Amino acid sequence: MSDEPPSTEPTPEEVWRLMTHVVQDSRDPWKRAVAERMGMPFSRFRVLRRLLPGPLQLKELARSAAMDAPATTVVVNDLEERGLVAREMDPADRRSKLVTVTEAGRAAVAHALATPDPPPPALAALTPGQLRTLRDLLGLL
């Protein structure tokens, strides 16, 4: 047995856990506001955002949105009915379809992103120096 006190050095796992709790515990009001503003579940918004960089096959979209394939199909069907996405044949694999966000879908995402998203009170209470340090550290990630 060692006479040395236990290390108080933070581990990457501890810091990650703290970071995810800050975000997860403070985002629910914003997610509800986005869903209300869009008139659809937040999962639809998440899928639309994943499509902004470019078309994806359904299986890629499911993986990107952390959804299973059947749930992703339901979401894409709904978004297609709303005119927010389109399906087209994948020229690289004619057996697959690509899902593409439409201009209406891009406008819906822009509208949703205009939803106010204030920082949690604990973050707002940091001093300017603490905020600068946190920003600079997060910038390294």
Side-chain angles (χ1 to χ4, degrees):
M1 194 174 310
S2 171
D3 288 335
E4 292 182 45
S7 173
T8 58
E9 292 299 314
T11 65
E13 293 79 12
E14 175 191 10
V15 173
W16 178 245
R17 189 172 43 255
L18 291 169
M19 286 173 52
T20 58
H21 282 292
V22 167
V23 173
Q24 289 172 348
D25 293 347
S26 64
R27 296 296 280 190
D28 286 343
W30 180 76
K31 287 179 180 181
R32 282 192 294 280
V34 166
E36 185 175 314
R37 186 177 199 137
M38 293 186 77
M40 65 182 87
F42 188 81
S43 60
R44 274 51 171 178
F45 169 73
R46 189 168 19 131
V47 165
L48 286 171
R49 280 188 54 183
R50 297 300 189 281
L51 292 169
L52 289 178
L56 292 172
Q57 288 183 352
L58 196 61
K59 64 183 175 188
E60 295 169 326
L61 181 56
R63 187 175 29 251
S64 172
M67 299 171 70
D68 61 25
T72 306
T73 298
V74 169
V75 169
V76 169
N77 288 345
D78 180 48
L79 292 172
E80 189 174 37
E81 287 174 15
R82 295 171 186 260
L84 303 177
V85 301
R87 292 181 215 214
E88 53 197 40
M89 190 173 301
D90 184 346
D93 179 359
R94 298 180 65 78
R95 296 169 295 161
S96 297
K97 298 274 187 175
L98 288 175
V99 182
T100 306
V101 67
T102 63
E103 285 306 312
R106 288 182 186 284
V109 170
H111 181 66
L113 289 174
T115 304
D117 187 16
L123 185 62
L126 295 177
T127 67
Q130 290 169 324
L131 286 171
R132 190 171 23 265
T133 299
L134 182 57
R135 180 202 59 203
D136 293 348
L137 287 170
L138 290 172
L140 296 173
L141 304 177

